[in-house]
Amino acid sequence: MVYPVQADISRGRVSVLTPVGAALIGLRTGQSITWETRDGRNNVLTVLSVINVVDVPEDA
C-alpha cells in the first residue's frame, strides 16, 4: 500500500486510492477481504504483514 505516485503493480505496490487499496486500509495481519472483479470472479486478499511506512526505504 503506497501513495498513488509510488504505485507500481509489477513491484507489488498498490495505491491506497484504488478500490482494493482503500478496502485494505485498517486491516490487521491475518484479516482478509473479498471483492468481485469486473468479470464477476471473486478474489480474496489476506494481509500477511503490516510494515510502518517510515520503516520501508523508498527504493525497496
Side-chain angles (χ1 to χ4, degrees), residues 33-45:
I33 61 166
T34 303
W35 82 98
E36 188 174 321
T37 62
R38 292 179 186 166
D39 63 0
R41 293 179 295 133
N42 285 323
N43 288 317
V44 177
L45 279 179

Side-chain angles (χ1 to χ4, degrees), residues 2-44:
V2 296
Y3 292 113
V5 65
Q6 299 165 320
D8 182 350
I9 199 65
S10 68
R11 295 178 71 192
R13 294 179 175 197
V14 177
S15 168
V16 296
L17 296 182
T18 63
V20 171
L24 289 168
I25 293 173
L27 294 185
R28 296 179 180 179
T29 301
Q31 291 184 308
S32 300
I33 61 166
T34 303
W35 82 98
E36 188 174 321
T37 62
R38 292 179 186 166
D39 63 0
R41 293 179 295 133
N42 285 323
N43 288 317
V44 177

